[in-house]
Amino acid sequence: MCSLGYNGFTDIGLVLGGRIPASFAKLAKLRMLMLEHNALTGTLPELCSSRMQLEAISLRNNLLTGPATQFGDCRLTALDISDNYFTGLLPVPRSRNSTSWLSLQVYRANNNFFEGTLPQFAFGEAPMLAALVLGGNSLTGSLPVSWTLLPWLTVVEASNNDLSGTLPWQLAFQSKLSVLDLRNNTQLSGSISPLWRFTVGLSILDLGYTSISGPLPGVSRADFKSGGTASLHVCSGNASGFGRLSSLESASIADTLMSAWCGGAEPQDGGSYQECTSIDDALPW
């Protein structure tokens, strides 16, 4: 193991600069490379040659540039290249038959300058993947329905990109999904499916600053009109209307088309809020 990260396994109290030495490629028995929280610059040397046996790489929070696609050839359990200046496409296994990422559990590439689409993982390339953190790039395209083939997927963080398309209803049945953060993808649109009220385990949901519309999945019209659910819980932008999702700890629908505005409206005859601009649209069932 080589750990020279500022807060790594060996805290040497210094911030390292310069390039990653090309001679690292000769360390055939190196299993873990931890160089996070330094000021390393330049492009990467060859770190994924067939003679190397790296299993975990953390280059988080440096000043590294250039492509990072070579990591698709590393047989990794964890890859963290976040908070750098990498460009080009996201690293992924180079073919659907690749076995490089069969043990990959954590993939963090957020806050770089990656372009292109989200990885599909449609052919079993990363069956153990649990955390997928890709926010803060320039990624485009839609959310892959094929992510439902990742049985251990727990965290999806793809905020602050240029994603489009709709929110796949199939992800609502991803049993281990705990965090779904898609905020600041203004082209992400379409109506959220009422099936999201059946999701289990979801603790953090952030759809803020997207163009997603449609009903809040957690409150019924009967609940609302009987007075069982306060208007604030339906109309505010913090998604507290997801009341039936018992696992939910934090949610945001701020500045989305899901936000029903109630202002200071008072209930009229029958308990309905006629002054609310879209209350009926906000209640699916």
Side-chain angles (χ1 to χ4, degrees):
M1 176 178 69
C2 179
S3 177
L4 298 176
Y6 186 71
N7 292 310
F9 292 99
T10 302
D11 188 347
I12 62 175
L14 299 173
V15 175
L16 303 178
R19 303 172 70 95
I20 298 176
S23 57
F24 275 23
K26 299 178 180 179
L27 302 176
K29 295 184 178 182
L30 187 65
R31 295 291 191 275
M32 301 177 68
L33 179 62
M34 305 296 173
L35 297 173
E36 66 272 11
H37 300 294
N38 282 295
L40 300 172
T41 59
T43 57
L44 295 170
E46 178 58 61
L47 296 174
C48 296
S49 66
S50 58
R51 63 179 177 273
M52 296 193 72
Q53 301 181 47
L54 279 172
E55 297 174 358
I57 295 174
S58 177
L59 303 176
R60 180 176 74 252
N61 197 14
N62 279 283
L63 305 171
L64 297 167
T65 59
T69 51
Q70 64 166 295
F71 292 124
D73 295 327
C74 282
R75 297 183 179 275
L76 299 172
T77 59
L79 174 63
D80 189 345
I81 53 175
S82 57
D83 300 301
N84 278 284
Y85 295 88
F86 290 120
T87 55
L89 301 177
L90 285 167
V92 293
R94 294 183 189 272
S95 75
R96 66 179 62 178
N97 298 319
S98 173
T99 60
S100 298
W101 283 13
L102 290 182
S103 298
L104 187 71
Q105 299 175 37
V106 177
Y107 181 9
R108 297 177 57 94
N110 51 301
N111 299 328
N112 281 283
F113 293 92
F114 288 118
E115 300 176 333
T117 59
L118 295 166
Q120 297 287 321
F121 299 125
F123 300 99
E125 304 98 315
M128 303 298 292
L129 188 63
L132 185 57
V133 183
L134 304 175
N137 286 288
S138 297
L139 302 175
T140 57
S142 59
L143 292 164
V145 175
S146 55
W147 285 358
T148 58
L149 301 175
L150 302 173
W152 300 100
L153 190 62
T154 305
V155 175
V156 172
E157 200 281 270
S159 64
N160 297 294
N161 278 292
D162 297 312
L163 302 179
S164 57
T166 60
L167 179 61
W169 61 265
Q170 294 90 338
L171 289 178
F173 298 96
Q174 195 78 3
S175 61
K176 294 189 180 297
L177 186 62
S178 175
V179 176
L180 180 60
D181 185 352
L182 301 173
R183 71 186 184 279
N184 255 345
N185 283 284
T186 57
Q187 297 182 70
L188 195 62
S189 60
S191 179
I192 190 170
S193 170
L195 293 173
W196 279 89
R197 73 177 186 266
F198 297 119
T199 190
V200 294
L202 191 65
S203 61
I204 297 175
L205 175 66
D206 196 337
L207 303 177
Y209 303 95
T210 67
S211 297
I212 291 176
S213 62
L216 296 172
V219 179
S220 71
R221 283 189 177 88
D223 290 335
F224 180 68
K225 292 184 177 181
S226 68
T229 301
S231 62
L232 179 64
H233 288 177
V234 177
C235 302
S236 63
N238 65 0
S240 52
F242 288 79
R244 296 263 175 116
L245 307 185
S246 58
S247 62
L248 201 61
E249 299 174 1
S250 173
S252 175
I253 55 170
D255 278 8
T256 69
L257 299 179
M258 297 173 65
S259 304
W261 179 76
C262 288
E266 296 294 331
Q268 306 297 309
D269 293 340
S272 62
Y273 285 74
Q274 300 298 330
E275 287 84 354
C276 296
T277 58
S278 57
I279 201 66
D280 281 338
D281 292 337
L283 300 175
W285 54 298

